[in-house]
Amino acid sequence: MARATYRICTLPGDGIGPEIMAEGKKVLAAVGTRANVDFVCEDHLIGGAAIDATEGTEHPTALPKETLLAARASDAVLLAAVGGPKWTNTDADKPRPEQGLLAIRKGLGLYLNLRPVRMFDALRDASPLRPELLEGVDLVIVRELTGGLYFGEHRRERDVEGAGVGGGKGGFASDTMEYSEYEVDRVVRWAFEAARRRRGVVHSVDKANVLETSRMWREITHAIAAEYPDVRAEDLYVDNAAMQLVANPAQFDVIVTENTFGDILSDEASMLTGSLGMLASASLGSGTALYEPSHGSAPDIAGKGIANPLAQILSVELMLRHSFQMDDEADWIVSAVRSALDDGWRTADIADDATPADHVLGTVAMGDKVVEYL
Ligand code: IPM
Ligand code: MG
């Protein structure tokens, strides 16, 4: 049989991005060797790195056109992280790294973001929650990714000096939460399909007691739920969902929600696993899919070689599963990560007082460990 070749557009980005990307690639290459598949990775610019590279040109940007075209032409996109204090500014005319991320999500039509919260038994003590609360936790957040507040109109009116109420405080800002019915329908439907293949429960999270977008969301969800009598559907207000996630996380199977709620709840849910450094994500849609850790670029530890590469490595796992239907190979990665953790290997973020100093690994050493266990 001819050896399969997959072309991956790799986007290391900023901060710890390049460090963890190297480990993701290392694991991918090791899987390729074992599975007799060629993964050809090609790096492109995004985020602050892209802003720096295009500075002084006519269009300084966090997402150069070449990057978007390369991403579209690839079989999958693997991204690490974007952002950092160097590029933080409130000047609306200046590009910001996060715009690169939002633009590539939009540009690739990635309307759905999957964030599986997978527990590793060995990390039970790393979570701030009591271990008995974590019994049976296995949930996935399905986050709408190209609508809502993120992509609605953003407006700002600066105060004319001294003209405002209360001594120059007359400025104004607004962000608009917007949803079309089809945008809601496609993610909610996907969530019900996923629940069918899992434990058959969907929690739809909204704020229907206040927001019109949520009332529409709820109507659509109820209509879809009627088509899936085998799936148990529950509505939850987002504030209640935030509380339930720490009070009784094991009740959840599939959580489906809009963009901003999903952003917030997924950071919260990551702590069930012990660290934001463990949470991978898959962004899916009509075209090429994109895989990235749920965490950011962690500028405070960038360049120190101590970042946890596991969310990046588990993003590779999701890529094998969702883009290449390589479920067995994806399982190898999960097993390798599990074995490394079971044998006590930790990065600093998931280590505790009981971890022997010689078992606290840096980024590269943790990547090597996973490859060793593959
Ligand atoms: C995420 C991140 C991004 C988001 C930021 C970096 C724009 O927090 O992927 O969750 O809010 O979507
Ligand atoms: Mg986030």
Side-chain angles (χ1 to χ4, degrees):
M1 207 174 93
R3 196 179 160 97
T5 300
Y6 292 121
R7 290 158 45 89
I8 320 289
C9 172
T10 41
L11 307 173
D14 312 317
I16 60 169
E19 297 165 58
I20 58 173
M21 177 61 82
E23 303 316 305
K25 282 187 189 171
K26 191 189 279 175
V27 171
L28 184 62
V31 169
T33 305
R34 262 188 71 174
N36 202 29
V37 171
D38 278 322
F39 294 106
V40 182
C41 296
E42 198 179 277
D43 277 352
H44 290 273
L45 293 169
I46 194 168
I51 294 174
D52 286 351
T54 54
E55 182 152 26
T57 67
E58 208 176 323
H59 297 292
T61 174
L63 182 67
K65 193 149 196 189
E66 305 80 76
T67 300
L68 183 58
L69 292 176
R72 280 199 183 128
S74 67
D75 296 309
V77 182
L78 186 65
L79 183 136
V82 299
K86 180 178 175 193
W87 305 281
T88 302
N89 69 76
T90 52
D91 184 342
D93 300 329
K94 277 207 179 142
R96 280 172 287 110
E98 291 75 12
Q99 290 168 336
L101 186 55
L102 300 187
I104 199 166
R105 286 174 180 169
K106 197 72 165 180
L108 294 175
L110 304 169
Y111 55 78
L112 187 143
N113 183 230
L114 201 64
R115 296 188 167 179
V117 177
R118 186 191 287 108
M119 299 298 299
F120 290 97
D121 281 342
L123 289 186
R124 248 181 220 200
D125 291 330
S127 171
L129 293 194
R130 287 199 310 277
E132 64 266 27
L133 281 174
L134 301 172
E135 197 61 56
V137 168
D138 173 16
L139 64 93
V140 51
I141 297 183
V142 177
R143 170 189 177 192
E144 198 290 327
L145 200 60
T146 49
L149 283 175
Y150 279 65
F151 293 91
E153 190 199 4
H154 306 291
R155 259 181 67 205
R156 182 74 183 265
E157 279 164 31
R158 304 268 167 192
D159 189 15
V160 183
E161 212 184 331
V165 186
K169 295 278 190 290
F172 169 87
S174 75
D175 301 282
T176 316
M177 191 187 280
E178 296 173 340
Y179 272 106
S180 298
E181 289 188 1
Y182 78 94
E183 294 178 297
V184 178
D185 188 278
R186 61 190 179 186
V187 293
V188 172
R189 210 166 270 288
W190 203 94
F192 276 84
E193 286 291 331
R196 227 174 217 178
R197 295 189 302 270
R198 294 173 48 99
R199 298 198 313 282
V201 185
V202 170
H203 284 86
S204 170
V205 172
D206 63 35
K207 188 72 185 171
N209 49 351
V210 177
L211 302 176
E212 198 55 43
T213 43
S214 283
R215 285 188 279 272
M216 183 178 87
W217 182 287
R218 205 172 260 219
E219 268 171 38
I220 293 170
T221 302
H222 288 184
I224 294 172
E227 296 175 36
Y228 292 79
D230 51 323
V231 173
R232 182 160 69 82
E234 307 266 358
D235 300 309
L236 268 189
Y237 293 138
V238 62
D239 46 352
N240 187 18
M243 184 272 278
Q244 297 284 340
L245 261 177
V246 289
N248 181 12
Q251 69 183 298
F252 294 112
D253 179 21
V254 178
I255 295 176
V256 62
T257 192
E258 67 87 41
N259 205 346
T260 305
F261 297 162
D263 177 46
I264 298 167
L265 292 180
S266 58
D267 266 33
E268 187 192 8
S270 75
M271 290 314 289
L272 302 170
T273 69
S275 169
L276 188 49
M278 296 299 299
L279 204 67
S281 91
S283 301
L284 312 174
S286 36
T288 312
L290 180 149
Y291 302 87
E292 60 170 316
S294 300
H295 61 70
S297 59
D300 53 323
I301 57 164
K304 295 191 178 154
I306 59 169
N308 181 351
L310 293 177
Q312 185 76 64
I313 290 169
L314 293 168
S315 299
V316 170
E317 175 231 323
L318 292 179
M319 176 168 90
L320 296 178
R321 235 180 257 293
H322 292 277
S323 283
F324 306 135
Q325 286 71 48
M326 294 173 69
D327 281 328
D328 291 343
E329 292 80 357
D331 290 341
W332 297 348
I333 296 184
V334 182
S335 305
V337 169
R338 179 167 290 123
S339 303
L341 295 171
D342 283 347
D343 286 350
W345 302 105
R346 299 284 186 273
T347 43
D349 58 317
I350 48 176
D352 59 23
D353 297 343
T355 314
D358 67 347
H359 275 59
V360 182
L361 304 178
T363 311
V364 174
M366 185 52 108
D368 289 342
K369 266 292 165 229
V370 174
V371 169
E372 206 180 299
Y373 283 94
L374 261 182

